Amino acid sequence: MKLVSWNVNGLRSCMKKGFSDFFAQADADLFAIQETKMQPDQLDDSMSFDGYFRYMNSAERKGYSGTMVYAKKEPLQVIYDIDGDTTKEGRVITLEYPDFWFVCAYVPNSKEQLARLDYRMEWEGYLKAHLLKLDQTKPVIYTGDLNVAHEEIDIKNPASNHHNAGFSDEERAKMTELLAAGFTDTFRHLYPDAVKYSWWSYRFKARERNAGWRIDYFLVSNRIAGNVKDSLIYDTVTGSDHCPVGLQIEF
């Protein structure tokens, strides 16, 4: 199976910057999208792809957040959102398949001065509970923009970003806790010393200088980590301030 995830920073905008070409080239069995920034009534024919089912979770606030999944095979069920989170920001879609659960998430940004850190910490608790509940019945593949660079190797400038959103001690600790609860960071598992990033600020020519962060992930339940054949970061693909990430796995 080939899986892809991409924070497109506005699907309508990304459609004008080569999204369809990459989608066709990727030929993924499951293609997860974060930050669609759109409502269902804004979908058009260009966002329908032959051979794919489409599932969408929009934020109540227009032009904000939102997730979507394209799937070649129809899932057994689809679950929108997670228990405990009442913000209606369209952040999670869960698909059930015979051999696994697939979870696409757009984790909240803690914002400047960590203004939203308390909410982020609460949300992380809901998300962890959701994943562990799923994991009791079958293994989980969890992907998306997780809005955290877990280790210093995952960020170009760790010292100057130490207390910034996405690299605070609190956020990094939550990722550590999640991994300790039974999940594997597939890219770091396969490539312990690799330096690759998935997000670059639009400011200061960050992408040209490769001053980036690795904040987009594929995590899997530990018991299927051996099924993973590759974990990919498509860092040459443009169209968003994030690049796509991918997973190749066999069942």
Side-chain angles (χ1 to χ4, degrees):
M1 289 187 67
K2 186 176 184 181
L3 316 177
V4 171
S5 176
W6 194 3
N7 179 323
V8 294
N9 194 12
L11 182 56
R12 288 169 294 169
S13 173
C14 197
M15 290 293 295
K16 301 173 184 176
K17 302 174 184 176
F19 176 85
S20 296
D21 291 338
F22 178 74
F23 186 94
Q25 173 191 335
D27 190 31
D29 296 287
L30 288 161
F31 197 117
I33 299 172
Q34 302 86 47
E35 220 173 344
T36 57
K37 295 184 176 179
M38 59 186 297
Q39 305 300 121
D41 62 6
Q42 294 174 309
L43 291 167
D44 59 39
D45 290 344
S46 70
M47 299 170 191
S48 295
F49 297 97
D50 289 343
Y52 284 89
F53 298 92
R54 182 180 62 206
Y55 305 95
M56 184 177 189
N57 192 6
S58 296
E60 193 173 69
R61 172 182 162 190
K62 293 184 177 180
Y64 179 72
S65 189
T67 48
M68 185 183 293
V69 177
Y70 290 95
K72 283 187 176 180
K73 290 187 177 180
E74 188 173 9
L76 300 175
Q77 66 168 317
V78 181
I79 303 169
Y80 296 96
D81 301 316
I82 52 178
D83 289 343
D85 183 23
T86 59
T87 57
K88 299 183 179 179
E89 293 180 351
R91 293 190 175 274
V92 183
I93 303 176
T94 301
L95 279 63
E96 182 184 6
Y97 285 95
D99 296 321
F100 62 94
W101 293 96
F102 183 75
V103 181
C104 162
Y106 176 40
V107 174
N109 190 306
S110 295
K111 302 297 184 184
E112 291 187 14
Q113 273 92 50
L114 302 178
R116 219 181 182 202
L117 181 63
D118 288 346
Y119 166 64
R120 164 74 177 263
M121 295 294 97
E122 186 177 51
W123 193 94
E124 291 266 19
Y126 300 145
L127 188 280
K128 179 183 173 184
H130 178 68
L131 296 178
L132 291 177
K133 181 179 179 181
L134 298 176
D135 193 51
Q136 290 177 359
T137 61
K138 61 185 72 175
V140 174
I141 300 171
Y142 172 44
T143 190
D145 174 3
L146 307 194
N147 256 319
V148 61
H150 185 220
E151 303 289 355
E152 290 194 353
I153 193 175
D154 299 315
I155 185 171
K156 178 70 172 181
N157 298 304
S160 61
N161 283 291
H162 180 198
H163 297 293
N164 289 343
F167 199 61
S168 68
D169 293 339
E170 295 89 344
E171 291 162 312
R172 295 170 66 195
K174 285 293 185 184
M175 172 66 90
T176 299
E177 287 176 18
L178 180 58
L179 296 174
F183 295 93
T184 298
D185 173 355
T186 60
F187 181 80
R188 192 54 65 210
H189 175 68
L190 292 178
Y191 305 106
D193 302 315
V195 177
K196 294 192 81 170
Y197 306 123
S198 66
W199 175 79
W200 303 260
S201 170
Y202 279 134
R203 299 181 294 173
F204 313 122
K205 298 184 177 179
R207 193 154 191 174
E208 292 178 32
R209 298 185 295 109
N210 198 29
W213 304 44
R214 186 175 75 96
I215 61 176
D216 302 87
Y217 296 79
F218 270 96
L219 307 185
V220 300
S221 299
N222 286 346
R223 62 187 182 279
I224 57 169
N227 297 48
V228 174
K229 302 306 173 186
D230 205 358
S231 187
L232 307 157
I233 298 178
Y234 300 95
D235 54 1
T236 62
V237 176
T238 57
S240 169
D241 51 349
H242 295 251
C243 74
V245 294
L247 186 74
Q248 294 178 358
I249 188 168
E250 292 182 358
F251 285 96

